[in-house]
């Protein structure tokens, strides 16, 4: 009997809704570039005295170049095939969306108030909802092998036209290994990859290079002996400091309502409880459980505490958000490292099977007969 999840997956793929295995990376590029654009725009306008482009009754708001950049992003995605264009489209689209959403205050107030106080909270919530919605769509069911195969073919689309570099060919080959032999189209996809002409010139991919460099940095920091203790200390300071800052703002100028202060306090208390439980699991040497609890503490801070902080202190709450994102990156790197270590341990305990004659040495050699 076919499961409900399997039936839904088959229906979505028949409808052409095949997921990209790199969707999380592209989403991160979009969100980071969007948030950075909002912050840089606000900083430049503040330093320059909020000038207006135009005159004689005209005002060219930066929502207009934002819309133009989003049009460029959509045009790139609609006009070109293959995986190469997507990182650039995510970057350009994120900048455009950042310019657009930065002026949300003008569109939710009757007097077109750019300085509408809840703007920062609205912008923050919008980006959080984008992340949550995309995460739900991409993780509610595991990537199907046919979707994995379709992503390999996506690499081949690039290769048949302009060739594949060794790195891209190796990446496609690794993805192909995750597809069973009996999956329809696998043999043909392998042959298509082997037919792609080699391209020894690795074209510049600044977005991919940046994310790889950041990932390497997180991997190195996560393996530092003091990393767990530092993470605990930072989480504790943040859980204590957030309510103090909220209360201070409330008493100084009345920006926060009592409800918002309680919201910050509740989020900080919940985050602190996860931190305490994670520290206890760390003392018991249950590193996997500890990392998971620390991640929950950070997510509570991002999805609850920071919302109220942005509502009260506006863009001054950026530091807390960035701190949470750094901690989340470090914890993810540690979780991936633990998973790799467990996988290697499992492989070491299993008997080695005879080599698969259909699986060539990594990477695929285009001249290898198929």
């Amino acid at each position: 009997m076919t499961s409900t999840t399997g039936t839904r997956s088959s229906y979505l793929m028949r409808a052409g809704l095949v997921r990209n295995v790199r969707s999380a990376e592209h989403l991160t590029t979009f969100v980071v570039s969007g948030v950075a654009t909002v912050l840089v725009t606000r900083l430049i306008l503040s330093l320059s005295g909020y000038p207006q482009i135009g005159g004689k009754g005209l005002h060219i708001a930066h929502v207009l170049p934002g819309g133009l950049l989003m049009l460029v992003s959509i045009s790139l995605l609609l006009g070109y095939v293959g995986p190469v264009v997507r990182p650039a489209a995510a970057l350009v689209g994120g900048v455009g969306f950042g310019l657009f959403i930065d002026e949300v205050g003008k569109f939710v107030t009757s007097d077109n108030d750019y300085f509408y106080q809840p703007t920062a909270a609205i912008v923050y919530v919008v980006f959080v909802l984008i992340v949550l919605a995309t995460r739900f769509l991409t993780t509610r069911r595991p990537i199907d092998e046919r979707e994995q195969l379709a992503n390999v073919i996506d690499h081949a689309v690039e290769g048949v036209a302009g060739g594949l570099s060794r790195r891209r060919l190796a990446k496609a080959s690794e993805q192909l290994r995750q597809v069973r032999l009996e999956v329809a189209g696998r043999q043909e996809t392998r042959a298509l990859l082997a037919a792609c002409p080699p391209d020894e010139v690795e074209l510049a991919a600044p977005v991919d290079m940046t994310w790889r460099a950041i990932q390497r940095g997180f991997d190195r920091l996560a393996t530092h002996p003091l990393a767990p203790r530092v993470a605990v200390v930072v989480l504790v300071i943040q859980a204590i400091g957030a309510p103090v800052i909220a209360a201070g703002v409330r008493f100084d100028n009345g920006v926060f309502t009592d409800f918002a202060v309680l919201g910050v306090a509740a989020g900080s208390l919940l985050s602190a409880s996860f931190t305490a439980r994670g520290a206890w699991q760390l003392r018991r040497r249950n590193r996997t459980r500890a990392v998971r609890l620390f991640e929950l503490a950070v997510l509570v801070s991002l999805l609850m505490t920071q919302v109220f902080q942005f509502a009260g202190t506006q863009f001054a709450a950026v530091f807390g958000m960035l701190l949470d994102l750094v901690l989340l990156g470090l914890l993810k790197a540690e979780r991936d490292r633990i998973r790799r270590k467990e996988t290697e341990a499992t492989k070491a305990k299993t008997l080695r099977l005879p080599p698969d004659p259909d699986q060539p040495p990594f990477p695929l050699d285009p001249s290898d007969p198929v």
Side-chain angles (χ1 to χ4, degrees):
M1 181 177 179
T2 305
S3 65
T4 304
T5 302
T7 302
R8 188 185 304 116
S9 175
S10 298
Y11 174 78
L12 291 174
M13 282 185 284
R14 286 200 305 270
L17 299 177
V18 180
R19 291 173 296 175
N20 189 331
V21 296
R22 294 187 60 192
S23 59
E25 298 176 35
H26 300 324
L27 167 71
T28 304
T29 300
F30 178 88
V31 170
V32 170
S33 60
V35 172
T37 299
V38 172
L39 298 178
V40 171
T41 300
R42 292 267 170 169
L43 177 62
I44 292 176
L45 291 177
S46 177
L47 294 177
S48 59
Y50 297 94
Q52 291 190 354
I53 301 176
K56 297 182 179 180
L58 295 177
H59 169 52
I60 302 177
H62 51 268
V63 69
L64 297 178
L68 179 61
L69 288 176
M70 285 190 282
L71 174 62
V72 171
S73 175
I74 295 173
S75 299
L76 289 173
L77 294 174
L78 295 179
Y80 295 90
V81 297
V84 175
V85 73
R86 294 193 190 105
L91 178 65
V92 174
V95 173
F97 186 76
L99 291 173
F100 161 76
I101 199 66
D102 179 58
E103 298 213 82
V104 67
K106 291 184 177 182
F107 307 123
V108 297
T109 56
S110 58
D111 57 349
N112 297 327
D113 185 8
Y114 177 72
F115 302 100
Y116 181 54
Q117 185 183 332
T119 294
I122 293 173
V123 171
Y124 183 78
V125 169
V126 166
F127 279 111
V128 167
L129 290 177
I130 291 174
V131 172
L132 292 178
T134 308
R135 182 177 177 82
F136 172 77
L137 292 175
T138 56
T139 62
R140 63 193 179 99
R141 57 183 175 86
I143 293 290
D144 190 273
E145 286 183 293
R146 291 167 294 176
E147 291 179 303
Q148 191 75 259
L149 187 63
N151 279 264
V152 178
I153 297 173
D154 195 36
H155 281 286
V157 167
E158 170 196 351
V160 294
L164 284 177
S165 65
R166 291 184 62 84
R167 185 181 66 82
R168 292 188 180 276
L169 182 60
K171 188 172 184 178
S173 303
E174 181 63 24
Q175 285 184 310
L176 187 61
R177 288 190 178 87
Q178 301 176 35
V179 181
R180 291 174 299 168
L181 295 175
E182 56 268 26
V183 175
R186 185 190 182 281
Q187 301 283 18
E188 292 79 3
T189 302
R190 178 179 177 274
L192 182 60
L193 276 181
C196 292
D199 183 7
E200 299 303 327
V201 178
E202 184 71 43
L203 297 178
V207 176
D208 289 344
M209 291 172 60
T210 300
W211 284 126
R212 287 199 298 270
I214 292 175
Q215 185 62 52
R216 288 194 298 269
F218 278 139
D219 289 339
R220 285 195 294 267
L221 289 175
T223 56
H224 194 281
L226 295 178
R229 296 181 182 179
V230 172
V232 173
V233 171
V234 171
L235 286 170
V236 170
I237 293 176
Q238 193 174 35
I240 297 174
V244 172
I245 294 174
V249 172
R250 171 69 177 86
F251 294 139
D252 287 345
N253 52 28
V255 172
F256 260 106
T257 64
D258 293 333
F259 176 76
V261 174
L262 290 176
V264 172
S268 299
L269 182 62
L270 184 58
S271 180
S273 67
F274 284 125
T275 301
R277 292 168 60 188
W280 173 250
Q281 293 294 334
L282 198 62
R283 287 180 61 86
R284 297 179 62 183
R285 300 187 182 280
N286 189 345
R287 203 176 185 92
T288 302
R289 181 62 176 165
V291 168
R292 179 56 182 160
L293 288 168
F294 289 153
E295 283 184 320
L296 289 175
V298 176
L299 289 174
V300 168
S301 178
L302 278 170
L303 302 178
M304 182 176 178
T305 308
Q306 295 301 334
V307 173
F308 293 108
Q309 288 283 45
F310 271 93
T313 63
Q314 298 192 50
F315 292 97
V318 169
F319 177 76
M321 177 196 70
L322 293 177
L323 191 60
D324 281 338
L325 292 177
V326 170
L327 286 174
L328 202 61
L330 289 173
L331 292 169
K332 180 181 181 301
E334 176 63 12
R335 176 162 47 85
D336 292 342
R337 189 186 69 84
I338 293 174
R339 185 181 295 120
R340 288 195 301 267
K341 190 174 181 180
E342 292 175 348
T343 301
E344 292 172 359
T346 302
K347 288 181 179 179
K349 292 180 180 179
T350 52
L351 297 175
R352 292 185 176 275
L353 298 175
D356 182 1
D358 186 57
Q359 297 264 9
F362 178 86
L364 264 173
D365 182 358
S367 63
D368 183 33
V370 293

